Amino acid sequence: HNKDIGLVLGCLLWILVTNTIGTSNADFPLADSGMYQLDITLKRGQNLAARDRGGTSDPYVKFKIGGKEVFRSKTIHKNLNPVWEEKACILIDHTREPLYIKVFDYDFGFQDDFIGSAFMDLTSLELNRPTDITLSLKDPHYPDHDLGSILLSVLLAPKEGQREVTMLRRKSWKRSSKVILSVWSFSLIFRRMRFHTKSLSYLRLSDMHRKSQLWRGIVSITLIEGFELKPMDANGLSDPYVKFRLGHQKYKSKIVPKTLNPQWREQFDFHLYEERGGIIDITVWDKDAGKRDDFIGRCQIDLSVLSREQTHKLELQLEEGEGWLVLLVTLTASAAVSISDLSVNSLEDQKEREEILKRYSTMRMFHNMKDVGFLQVKVIRAEALMAADVTGKSDPFCVVELNNDRLLTHTVYKNLNPEWNKVFTFNIKDIHSVLEVTVYDEDRDRSADFLGKVAIPLLSIQNGEQKAYVLKNKQLTGPTKGVIYLEIDVIFNAVKASIRTLMPKEQKYIEEENRLSKQLLLRNFIRMKRCVMVLINAAYYVNSCFDWDSPQRSLAAFVLFLFVVWNFELYMIPLAFLLLLAWNYFLILSGKDNTQHDTVVEDMLEDEEEEDDRDDKDSERKGFMNKLYAIQEVCVSVQNVLDEVASFGERIKNTFNWTVPFLSWLAIVALCMFTVILYFIPLRYIVLVWGISKFTKKLRSPYAIDNNEILDFLSRVPSDVQVVCIYFFNSHMVVNLSLD
């Protein structure tokens, strides 16, 4: 209290001095804003591709930086060598983002046709020096096609007018210094008085975060079946599904239509945060389209009465209803995740590092198959974060997630450049998992505000390198403000990882529900259409061989047909896939990479983000989707089916395109094995072994969960959307840092 009284008296004395003496004439230099002015002169185009029936085009050009359109030229009608001579002046914060140029053919009343695109690296430009640049246009669908070129004149310079703005601010400071200093003095008093109450609430929030970040065990649950459930529909049946809840963790099973004895056979994990276990609440519901779901019954599992490291088969009778549920529950004590200060580092301790390397060595490939690897994440600091509070600051904390493992840092208050210096360790159960690091702003009275996010596939991590990752939006489709500095190490057993790839993928129990999006529906339709068009074009190509449109091609196809049919053996099928993988691999080595990213998908992802923001505002304002619930459900189902079909085709393509080299090498190993087996073992023996295994599977393991190894493998291969959102953006938005 004596300090507070002294502070008040000091502030009053400072106000008296500033109002009698006045302010000093000393200069207060302002930090350079770091902005640049990019002057672009769009001169002309040369030999552009024809997109109209008359053999011409109506071209115009779009310029984008960071996914946002910054300039659009006028349209030149019916010309493949247009002359624009248009100038644009663009202000940019930094030169890290490339300039994206896209050329379209204008079509009145229809969607404009894409002609070609190109990137221009702004970091390669010299300041204050005009540069003439010729950019060759490319189409990712047809990388070998010549689509013409665009001629530009570019000048990059620091933003003009900074000196004048600085002088004006200095004069403004001299005129208003008295008022500012007075207000600042009073604010010190109020800040001092409020500090005690605010610090208590902040401490409570920090304690709450710390309590929720470490878990002490795993509850593995297998939902087997239900029987004699209560009929809820007019036909005497139900469409049952089950909801599980343990604290803040939730899981919802699939819907089994038209049955009173459903078979689910689903497996999932919950985390134990309490020493004594907890209570799992289970409710069973009947799905009704267009209205509220009907309640069938409920039951509970008291985990404190179950012994650990043992599988319990439970038959639970539903209360407040009819029927039974059959479950398998296993409690496992675990130290799979941990959090510590930067000074406590597992991998820097040589003895502990050798122990970890020994645990995941090749010699222990069959020991504890679920323990695939070890992940260590150093969350060092963030810079230039978004200001979420009215004071122009934020209270940032960081959430690190790997599948269902979720850890939090402490909160750094009133700071846009926080330093956490925390080390997180995880046990890896699937090497194809994606590490997600999200930065939030803590709000005392409401949910935390989103500041940015990065998603990093484990297989793309380079051990021991500190990197600055540009934060992205929630959809991972574009950058937001700020960067985060991480250092990540991954140690894993390749044999365990390969075997785990052929098993069902772990399902996240905290996922956002799908909602209707016009842009998402359109995107999925175009993706599926693209896959179907590949098959149609292949069918046209084969049919043209029969029509002898090209005698040379038809003759070669005929000779190949005779040779293959006469010498065909079953082992040639995996051998053909091996040759395709090898061909694409040599294309990559030679620099002719055919895995370029689809610009159409990028644009649609950008449009989707803007459209979703508008949809959110409209839904809050009108509640329109609540009135059309049944239509929305059907549209969401169609949207998801389109996504699944398109993703399936894209995953097959990306397997052979070496999008994820680990998976492509795994496919090569499997195909080599199939080729050898089919070459040396008659087909009848293989079919006999497969049939015996299939028929006796339920006898050997009554509660085994059905799976398909090929589909499980493909589920690890990223679709084109995942490639654009995760792999593409990470490769373009990571800055390597040299450590002192």
Side-chain angles (χ1 to χ4, degrees), residues 153-330:
S153 179
V154 183
L155 173 63
L156 181 66
K159 184 181 176 183
E160 297 179 359
Q162 289 298 311
R163 180 178 178 84
E164 291 78 0
V165 173
T166 303
M167 295 303 296
L168 288 175
R169 288 180 179 177
R170 289 174 182 171
K171 293 178 181 179
S172 177
W173 167 263
K174 293 178 181 179
R175 288 195 299 266
S176 58
S177 59
K178 295 181 181 181
V179 178
I180 293 174
L181 290 174
S182 300
V183 174
W184 173 77
S185 302
F186 281 114
S187 69
L188 285 178
I189 301 173
F190 291 121
R191 187 179 301 174
R192 178 72 178 178
M193 297 172 63
R194 293 174 56 193
F195 173 76
H196 301 289
T197 57
K198 290 188 69 175
S199 61
L200 291 176
S201 64
Y202 289 155
L203 286 174
R204 286 196 296 270
L205 275 172
S206 299
D207 292 340
M208 180 183 66
H209 290 324
R210 292 192 187 97
K211 290 179 181 178
S212 66
Q213 64 190 7
L214 294 178
W215 46 272
R216 306 177 184 278
I218 298 175
V219 185
S220 179
I221 301 175
T222 304
L223 174 61
I224 303 297
E225 61 183 353
F227 56 91
E228 299 179 3
L229 299 183
K230 183 178 180 180
M232 305 301 294
D233 297 337
N235 56 7
L237 300 174
S238 295
D239 304 318
Y241 66 92
V242 186
K243 289 183 178 180
F244 296 82
R245 183 184 182 93
L246 175 61
H248 69 279
Q249 307 171 80
K250 299 178 183 179
Y251 180 83
K252 177 180 176 182
S253 74
K254 64 183 178 183
I255 301 170
V256 182
K258 296 181 173 54
T259 181
L260 299 179
N261 301 285
Q263 298 280 331
W264 285 286
R265 301 190 184 278
E266 298 183 45
Q267 192 275 332
F268 59 96
D269 295 336
F270 280 157
H271 291 159
L272 278 177
Y273 294 91
E274 302 293 338
E275 290 282 359
R276 294 172 294 178
I279 302 294
I280 299 180
D281 293 314
I282 306 172
T283 54
V284 186
W285 300 82
D286 167 60
K287 182 65 177 178
D288 283 335
K291 56 182 180 180
R292 188 174 182 179
D293 296 345
D294 297 322
F295 176 76
I296 295 180
R298 74 171 66 248
C299 57
Q300 289 184 336
I301 301 176
D302 187 357
L303 299 178
S304 62
V305 301
L306 301 180
S307 58
R308 293 177 179 267
E309 308 299 338
Q310 180 181 349
T311 300
H312 306 269
K313 181 182 178 183
L314 305 178
E315 294 186 3
L316 305 175
Q317 185 176 9
L318 298 180
E319 302 173 359
E320 304 176 24
E322 301 176 6
W324 299 74
L325 289 181
V326 180
L327 306 122
L328 298 179
V329 181
T330 305

Side-chain angles (χ1 to χ4, degrees), residues 51-68:
R51 291 290 184 259
D52 295 338
R53 292 183 178 180
T56 62
S57 294
D58 304 319
Y60 67 91
V61 184
K62 285 184 179 181
F63 293 87
K64 289 188 175 184
I65 294 181
K68 301 297 183 182

